[in-house]
């Protein structure tokens, strides 16, 4: 039996899904997968440290390389915590239309190091409420501004 969240069963958006405690103490049934909902979209902002790395949902969005976010400063844990929580700030800003985040199809790994492996066989999507249910694969997005967010 898979543990479900209070999300709508047809659509799930996960903001930088947690990795360390799930990896250490949880079984695979507690991990987020694309089988958890009809459509699963994932934003990665601290992949490989506090967040899951690699593809998890039907469409995964690797923001600023997916690991460290601009504006997050201090020691490693502070940078990671801030980066992990920035997923909610970016999504909120995109829903409120304060940030226009265009996500471009890229190769299937997150976090991104160096070149992103951009793909031209799929269309870019705009992050926010209107992500198409048909979006599939990995997408990369660059957010140049340092979003003011309370998770520093």
């Amino acid at each position: 039996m898979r543990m479900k969240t209070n999300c709508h069963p047809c659509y799930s958006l996960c903001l930088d899904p947690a990795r360390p405690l799930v990896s250490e103490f949880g079984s695979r049934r507690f991990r987020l997968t694309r089988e958890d909902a009809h459509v699963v979209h994932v934003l990665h902002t601290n992949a490989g440290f506090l967040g899951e790395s690699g593809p998890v949902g039907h469409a995964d969005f690797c923001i600023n390389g997916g690991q460290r976010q601009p504006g997050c400063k201090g020691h490693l844990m502070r940078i990671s915590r801030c980066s992990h929580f920035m997923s909610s700030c970016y999504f909120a800003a995109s829903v409120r239309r304060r940030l226009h985040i265009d996500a471009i199809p890229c190769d299937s790994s997150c976090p991104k190091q160096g070149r992103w492996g951009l793909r031209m066989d799929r269309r870019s999507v705009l992050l926010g409420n209107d992500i198409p249910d048909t979006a599939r694969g990995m997408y990369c997005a660059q957010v140049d501004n340092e979003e003011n967010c309370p998770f520093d």
Side-chain angles (χ1 to χ4, degrees):
M1 184 173 132
R2 191 179 267 304
M3 183 177 179
K4 298 296 179 183
T5 63
N6 290 334
C7 296
H8 189 279
C10 292
Y11 177 82
S12 178
L13 172 69
C14 191
L15 303 174
D16 204 41
R19 185 195 64 79
L21 294 176
V22 173
S23 293
E24 186 70 26
F25 302 109
S27 69
R28 294 203 53 77
R29 69 184 180 156
F30 294 110
R31 287 193 115 96
L32 177 72
T33 70
R34 57 183 62 113
E35 283 80 39
D36 287 332
H38 180 65
V39 176
V40 178
H41 293 157
V42 178
L43 270 64
H44 296 277
T45 55
N46 192 234
F49 197 73
L50 294 179
E52 285 286 353
S53 59
V56 177
H58 293 98
D60 290 74
F61 298 87
C62 203
I63 310 297
N64 294 324
Q67 195 166 45
R68 291 187 176 182
Q69 301 307 308
C72 294
K73 303 196 180 357
H75 56 79
L76 179 62
M77 192 60 199
R78 184 180 183 105
I79 291 169
S80 296
R81 186 184 69 229
C82 171
S83 294
H84 182 62
F85 289 123
M86 282 302 290
S87 60
S88 58
C89 299
Y90 291 142
F91 187 71
S94 69
V95 167
R96 291 187 312 239
R97 308 273 194 248
R98 283 197 5 230
L99 280 179
H100 177 90
I101 303 174
D102 194 27
I104 301 165
C106 56
D107 64 21
S108 62
S109 64
C110 191
K112 299 291 180 190
Q113 307 281 320
R115 295 180 51 197
W116 285 3
L118 298 180
R119 299 181 53 167
M120 299 303 150
D121 59 336
R122 296 189 320 264
R123 294 174 42 166
S124 64
V125 298
L126 189 61
L127 203 62
N129 274 343
D130 302 322
I131 299 171
D133 289 352
T134 56
R136 296 289 185 266
M138 183 67 70
Y139 292 82
C140 293
Q142 185 72 36
V143 179
D144 292 325
N145 81 330
E146 294 182 10
E147 179 68 12
N148 185 14
C149 198
F151 297 114
D152 187 6

